[in-house]
Amino acid sequence: MAEQGQYPEYWEADVVLRDGRTGHLRPVSPADAEALQAFHMRQSQSSIYLRFFTYKAKLSGRELKRFTNVDYRDRVAFVITLGSEIVGIGRYDRLDDPTEAEVAFNISDEHQGRGIGSILLEHLAAAARENGIRRFSAEVLPENRKMLSVFADAGYEVRRAFDDGVIALDFDIDPTEKSRAVMEAREHRAEARSVADLLAPSSIAVIGASREWGSVGYQLMEHIVEGGFTGSVYAVNPEAFELAGMVSYGKISEIPEPVSLAVIAVPYDQVQCVAQECAAAGVKHLLVVSAGFDDGEAGLARQRRLVRYARANGMRVLGPASLGLINTRPEVSLNASMAPALPRRGVLGLFSQSAAIGVLLYAAAQRRRLGLSSTISAGNRADVSGNDVMQYWEDDAGTKVVGLYLESVGNPRKFSRIARRLATGKPVIVAKSDVTGLQLPPGHSVRLTQAPQGALDAMLRQSGVIRVATNEQLMDVAQIACSQPLPQGRGLAVLSNSAALGRVLADAAVPLDLDAVHLRIDLDLDRGQSVALPALREAVAKALADEAVHSAVVTLLPAPGLDNNAVAETLLDCAIEGGKPVVAVFTGIMDPSQLTEGILGSREQVPPEPAAEGEAAEPGLPAGLPCFASPGAAVSALAALVRYSEWAGREHGHYAEPAGVDTEAAQTFIDEQMSRVANTELLRLGPDETARLLDFYGISLLPSLPFRTEDEAVAAADQLGWPVVLKTMDEHLRHRLDLGGVRLNISSEQSLRSNISEMRTALEPYGRFELEVQSMAPSGQGCVLRAIEDPLLGPVLSFGIAGDAVNLLDDWAHGIPPLTSVDIADLVRTPRTSRRLFGYQGLPKVDVAALEDLIARVALLKDEHPEIALLEINPVLVSVQGVTVLSADIRLGNPQQRTDSARRALRD
């Protein structure tokens, strides 16, 4: 929460407007008085009347002081600026009811229609909620239709009343499913538009273009021109009059038409100056190939300064240290990269960060004959990121498969949200190393994760992406996904002319959860090509005709007189006719010139999915045969697509909304406790405080009472009700029945007294501990729930079976809230030891539905309250008729601002 009167710098944000350009949003300050007056005087009489219900040519000194002096609690105002010019202002003023505030906006006439009002409303609502305000009201003239539409289209339940010629509006500002969907849709359109403009500029200026053969500027200019770019291309170099047969301009301001994209290839210490010249010339986007921003904090500071300046002036930045971008659409034909030639057109979109990884991906795609739709290298990823590019690919009909190599992750929560939506329609393949999120590549500036190992991978699985470890594995999966229909099941046909090779491949399919339902390993291909090819065609066609077969792998050793290309053409015909994926493996080839790996053939198309009624059908995948040199790589890639196809084809559930939750009361209680939190210290809630907070979310903590004497213990047991449990209050021993830290089912006073004496004796070797009695819970399976606030991932929820499974074997499942009902079901079933919940060794199945309800409540509690640094329930007993929470530990801390919130903002 912002301190009253103290400027809340963390409210500042760079935002993407509806047209894909950027602006800077920040709280107003007294220094804005002159700029606000200039803004007011630029407005038309009509706009001034609609805002103030009267006309005033100038704001008075008193009005300027009131509008620019706010306390950031009861009175808050935001401005959106382009350069030094204010283009929109929105404010709220708290009313007599402390939970309600009046809201008002004023948008520049020149910039209306760019979504500025809706962005201001989102940020005002977020600030208001932070300050305890739950409802907005406004008075709007009936003719002010644009402002009425801002409120109506925001996704809130707006109530209207007409009184004395004015429309009075009011609405609750707590995020709803509808308001979140509206925000995400607007964010999607704006960010997709910004990347679309970046990939399809109307004109390009290469700044730093050079006559020197082999220089970066020379190659960029050459590649853009020779790639056949359909727009205008200009060279900017103050030391050359002519470059590549074109007139060279000394400055970008001398170019006779507006420039859409500036490609910057100058020494890094000149980049900031060039960016300023581009801003003055009205350039939309910057592609910065210049490196040198990775020299520690000084380089990062230069990089941040560049991005802040560019965004504030409406420009997005790709880079620095970018390899460039490619768009193979014929109407664009753009190769603004270091790739020597425009690649063949295809359906694969590629995103990478560092130039080195970009080179590897591009080379691997070319080697495998994979056609590309577009590629983007983000370099240091200071601004344009994989999240932005996925927003574009979601709408791009020419991109059917998406591949990303991630060296760092700036906003995982947003990534998860976008990737889940994108992956429902297109395979998303993500390559990342095991240390992604744990350490940063040079030039990258994002938070590091402290989450349990596997949490980031769990987020990727939860989002439906296909996670691989290397760029080669990415291409393995991509070459099948780009050329074949998705497998519709696990049934696999294995065909081979080698019994040993066929059995090895069939065996390799088992741990990958593929079922080798059709095995033909006696193909005779040694009788000459004229006989072998028809026999091969017949065998494969028969296998694909089997309803139990969903895909086929044909793995072949070299046969005399048999040409691999002819074999591939035959198998491609079978795949097209059968409508099922076919993968070929050519093994045992010793001559490198004869190696067959990649896509062979591309003469027809795999039929697309049928379009819904009233929708235009999209083009299908270009047909080709995926060929591998390794059987293991082929079957692993195919298995990855089977898992993805199952994920894409199933129901994904709904976001859990448990009954009996009082979020507002919980937040009020947490705010009261936060006054006891000092700096980075954590505050551990006491038993009563813990029970009270959990109760706001419908979670009941089984009562327990500490005692000092045996008489107090008996009185506590009488109060709780017999039978009771006796346990130590030590956080480690209280769960250890084997070490004497717990004694169960004590049903009488005499038994309780003797157990107290025996427990103290048994625990003496470990020290002296306080004891407590607790109501006896129904017997059941012990489980552990743990939730933390991670600097990178935000809320992370972990689940496991209590005891050695989590303590020694690390058998956890992880999820990133918000969780759907399906996410929660997967979470419960992921740990290897979770079989104990479903009837293990003759034991009855426990009440899994009650466990899933508890997990939903804990996930919601953690998601809505980032102040909860740690929440651990250990154990929760799951019986055949419900769950019992025996112990809980909650610690509060000052939270960092999450990387994804209910307001649109670019990553800082």
Side-chain angles (χ1 to χ4, degrees):
M1 181 180 296
E3 293 289 335
Q4 191 154 3
Q6 181 176 340
Y7 183 84
E9 187 175 355
Y10 68 92
W11 280 353
E12 291 195 20
D14 295 318
V15 293
V16 183
L17 307 181
R18 182 177 296 162
D19 60 1
R21 303 294 293 272
T22 57
H24 186 66
L25 179 144
R26 58 174 174 79
V28 77
S29 73
D32 289 317
E34 185 178 341
L36 183 60
Q37 183 73 275
F39 165 81
H40 178 84
M41 295 179 67
R42 288 194 304 271
Q43 293 292 80
S44 65
Q45 293 185 19
S46 173
S47 293
I48 293 173
Y49 174 76
L50 292 176
R51 167 64 180 89
F52 296 101
F53 297 5
T54 187
Y55 175 71
K56 50 182 71 179
K58 291 182 67 175
L59 296 173
S60 68
R62 183 178 179 181
E63 288 171 323
L64 283 174
K65 183 176 181 181
R66 172 170 175 77
F67 291 155
T68 58
N69 286 262
V70 296
D71 60 11
Y72 308 113
R73 291 282 298 279
D74 298 332
R75 298 178 58 246
V76 170
F78 287 109
V79 294
I80 291 182
T81 61
L82 292 177
S84 59
E85 182 181 304
I86 293 175
V87 297
I89 183 168
R91 63 185 305 108
Y92 78 69
D93 292 86
R94 197 188 302 259
L95 300 177
D96 293 338
D97 180 348
T99 64
E100 183 176 353
E102 184 176 18
V103 65
F105 302 92
N106 199 358
I107 311 302
S108 167
D109 290 339
E110 298 175 22
H111 297 277
Q112 290 186 10
R114 301 183 70 187
I116 291 173
S118 61
I119 293 174
L120 285 168
L121 178 58
E122 287 172 17
H123 286 256
L124 282 170
R129 288 193 298 271
E130 186 177 321
N131 289 325
I133 295 170
R134 292 291 176 263
R135 187 167 61 258
F136 274 171
S137 61
E139 292 186 345
V140 183
L141 291 173
E143 58 265 40
N144 195 352
R145 294 182 179 178
K146 290 182 179 179
M147 193 51 58
L148 287 171
S149 67
V150 168
F151 295 116
D153 298 340
Y156 299 111
E157 295 295 328
V158 180
R159 297 172 288 273
R160 298 188 179 203
F162 187 77
D163 184 27
D164 198 21
V166 175
I167 297 176
L169 311 171
D170 73 278
F171 52 93
D172 296 330
I173 59 174
D174 284 328
T176 64
E177 187 172 342
K178 183 178 179 181
S179 69
R180 288 192 187 96
V182 168
M183 185 203 77
E184 290 172 12
R186 287 172 171 164
E187 173 191 65
H188 165 72
R189 287 194 298 269
E191 293 179 358
R193 174 69 181 274
S194 72
V195 176
D197 288 347
L198 180 67
L199 280 166
S202 59
S203 57
I204 298 176
V206 181
I207 305 175
S210 172
R211 284 178 171 173
E212 184 180 346
W213 186 89
S215 68
V216 172
Y218 179 95
Q219 289 186 319
L220 284 168
M221 175 63 73
E222 182 181 48
H223 295 169
I224 292 171
V225 172
E226 293 190 356
F229 177 58
T230 57
S232 305
V233 185
Y234 300 97
V236 178
N237 189 325
E239 299 178 359
F241 294 103
E242 179 270 331
L243 286 169
M246 299 181 297
V247 174
S248 175
Y249 295 89
K251 292 183 178 181
I252 194 168
S253 58
E254 299 173 2
I255 295 175
E257 69 168 297
V259 172
S260 180
L261 173 65
V263 180
I264 301 176
V266 300
Y268 74 88
D269 57 352
Q270 298 177 26
V271 171
Q272 184 71 30
C273 180
V274 169
Q276 292 170 356
E277 294 174 358
C278 290
V283 172
K284 290 184 178 181
H285 300 289
L286 306 179
L287 166 56
V288 182
V289 299
S290 308
F293 292 83
D294 54 0
D295 56 339
E297 283 301 319
L300 289 174
R302 285 195 302 270
Q303 186 169 283
R304 293 189 189 103
R305 186 164 62 250
L306 168 66
V307 172
R308 279 198 302 268
Y309 180 84
R311 288 174 174 172
N313 286 275
M315 301 181 295
R316 301 219 60 183
V317 177
L318 182 62
S322 169
L323 183 68
L325 55 86
I326 292 171
N327 186 347
T328 62
R329 283 166 47 198
E331 63 269 29
V332 179
S333 191
L334 174 60
N335 180 18
S337 78
M338 298 304 293
L342 188 72
R344 69 177 66 189
R345 190 182 181 202
V347 297
L348 175 62
L350 284 179
F351 172 85
S352 64
Q353 293 173 6
S354 72
I357 297 298
V359 169
L360 289 175
L361 286 175
Y362 178 85
Q366 292 300 95
R367 187 174 65 250
R368 295 170 185 246
R369 307 173 194 85
L370 274 171
L372 304 176
S373 61
S374 54
T375 70
I376 288 185
S377 165
N380 292 358
R381 203 195 45 137
D383 180 16
V384 175
S385 69
N387 289 344
D388 298 303
V389 182
M390 286 195 298
Q391 299 272 38
Y392 165 76
W393 279 328
E394 184 179 350
D395 293 340
D396 181 32
T399 300
K400 303 296 184 184
V401 182
V402 168
L404 304 97
Y405 195 109
L406 300 181
E407 297 168 73
S408 64
V409 185
N411 192 339
R413 282 167 65 82
K414 184 175 179 180
F415 176 93
S416 177
R417 173 164 54 85
I418 298 171
R420 182 191 286 261
R421 196 175 62 232
L422 175 59
T424 56
K426 302 177 182 181
V428 179
I429 313 162
V430 173
K432 79 168 197 67
S433 75
D434 290 334
V435 299
T436 300
L438 300 176
Q439 63 186 40
L440 293 183
H444 290 234
S445 177
V446 296
R447 300 172 181 177
L448 295 177
T449 182
Q450 299 168 3
Q453 185 177 8
L456 187 54
D457 285 344
M459 181 208 69
L460 295 177
R461 286 194 300 273
Q462 183 178 313
S463 305
V465 306
I466 302 169
R467 196 274 197 189
V468 297
T470 67
N471 65 299
E472 288 298 327
Q473 291 174 356
L474 188 156
M475 291 301 168
D476 286 343
V477 178
Q479 71 181 44
I480 301 176
C482 287
S483 61
Q484 300 286 292
L486 288 174
Q488 299 303 306
R490 301 186 181 190
L492 179 67
V494 177
L495 300 96
S496 180
N497 61 345
S498 165
L501 186 59
R503 289 195 180 94
V504 166
L505 196 146
D507 291 342
V510 174
L512 297 172
D513 293 328
L514 297 180
D515 301 325
V517 296
H518 186 105
L519 192 61
R520 175 73 188 277
I521 53 179
D522 60 349
L523 294 176
D524 183 3
L525 305 179
D526 296 332
R527 294 179 292 165
Q529 191 159 288
S530 61
V531 177
L533 291 183
L536 177 63
R537 179 189 295 271
E538 181 183 357
V540 175
K542 181 179 180 182
L544 295 177
D546 187 344
E547 292 185 358
V549 170
H550 304 104
S551 57
V553 178
V554 182
T555 177
L556 302 174
L557 289 175
L562 197 61
D563 178 65
N564 287 338
N565 288 318
V567 171
E569 290 292 332
T570 299
L571 296 178
L572 178 55
D573 288 339
C574 293
I576 294 172
E577 293 167 6
K580 298 177 182 179
V582 175
V583 174
V585 182
F586 295 97
T587 60
I589 300 175
M590 306 303 292
D591 183 357
S593 66
Q594 296 183 18
L595 284 176
T596 303
E597 188 168 21
I599 301 294
L600 291 185
S602 186
R603 59 190 182 283
E604 297 183 39
Q605 287 207 325
V606 175
E609 293 294 321
E613 187 175 350
E615 294 182 1
E618 292 189 354
L621 296 174
L625 184 72
C627 300
F628 292 81
S630 163
V635 74
S636 293
L638 189 59
L641 282 170
V642 169
R643 291 191 296 271
Y644 163 73
S645 182
E646 290 177 342
W647 179 90
R650 71 174 180 171
E651 290 292 326
H652 297 291
H654 57 276
Y655 285 107
E657 295 182 358
V661 170
D662 193 339
T663 302
E664 208 164 305
Q667 188 61 55
T668 300
F669 174 76
I670 289 173
D671 289 342
E672 293 170 355
Q673 308 308 312
M674 290 299 292
S675 62
R676 300 156 55 195
V677 176
N679 299 321
T680 59
E681 299 296 318
L682 296 182
L683 171 67
R684 186 171 189 171
L685 298 185
D688 292 341
E689 296 164 333
T690 298
R692 185 179 176 194
L693 180 53
L694 292 176
D695 189 58
F696 289 129
Y697 278 77
I699 302 171
S700 298
L701 185 60
L702 194 66
S704 61
L705 294 172
F707 63 87
R708 294 182 180 177
T709 66
E710 293 182 2
D711 289 341
E712 289 179 356
V714 172
D718 287 338
Q719 179 180 337
L720 295 173
W722 303 85
V724 294
V725 175
L726 176 66
K727 59 175 66 175
T728 175
M729 296 179 69
D730 178 76
E731 60 181 317
H732 300 295
L733 292 172
R734 65 184 291 118
H735 309 302
R736 298 300 299 271
L737 186 65
D738 56 332
L739 296 179
V742 184
R743 293 182 175 238
L744 305 174
N745 207 25
I746 302 172
S747 57
S748 67
E749 176 181 338
Q750 181 180 356
S751 176
L752 178 59
R753 292 180 184 274
S754 62
N755 271 285
I756 292 172
S757 176
E758 292 170 5
M759 177 176 282
R760 284 175 171 160
T761 301
L763 294 178
E764 209 167 275
Y766 308 108
R768 297 186 63 82
F769 306 102
E770 299 294 324
L771 303 181
E772 66 179 1
V773 291
Q774 187 174 45
S775 299
M776 183 69 187
S779 60
Q781 175 61 56
C783 300
V784 183
L785 274 174
R786 181 179 296 162
I788 66 167
E789 183 72 17
D790 181 66
L792 178 65
L793 298 174
V796 177
L797 184 68
S798 304
F799 167 78
I801 303 300
D804 289 343
V806 293
N807 295 334
L808 295 180
L809 303 178
D810 204 31
D811 188 22
W812 291 97
H814 308 288
I816 311 296
L819 300 176
T820 69
S821 53
V822 173
D823 294 334
I824 293 171
D826 288 345
L827 191 76
V828 169
R829 290 157 179 80
T830 295
R832 295 186 298 277
T833 47
S834 64
R835 285 180 293 174
R836 292 184 175 184
L837 303 173
F838 298 92
Y840 179 70
Q841 292 186 340
L843 295 175
K845 178 182 176 181
V846 301
D847 191 347
V848 174
L851 175 61
E852 291 176 350
D853 178 73
L854 173 65
I855 293 174
R857 295 175 185 276
V858 172
L860 188 62
L861 171 61
K862 183 65 204 78
D863 191 31
E864 294 186 334
H865 305 289
E867 300 89 348
I868 298 175
L870 170 69
L871 188 162
E872 182 171 298
I873 296 178
N874 184 15
V876 52
L877 288 182
V878 190
S879 66
V880 294
Q881 293 183 333
V883 297
T884 307
V885 177
L886 300 185
S887 177
D889 179 11
I890 298 179
R891 307 184 192 196
L892 304 182
N894 285 315
Q896 297 188 51
Q897 294 298 307
R898 284 184 180 167
T899 55
D900 194 33
S901 64
R903 62 188 187 114
R904 281 177 282 168
L906 290 170
R907 180 179 57 86
D908 195 5

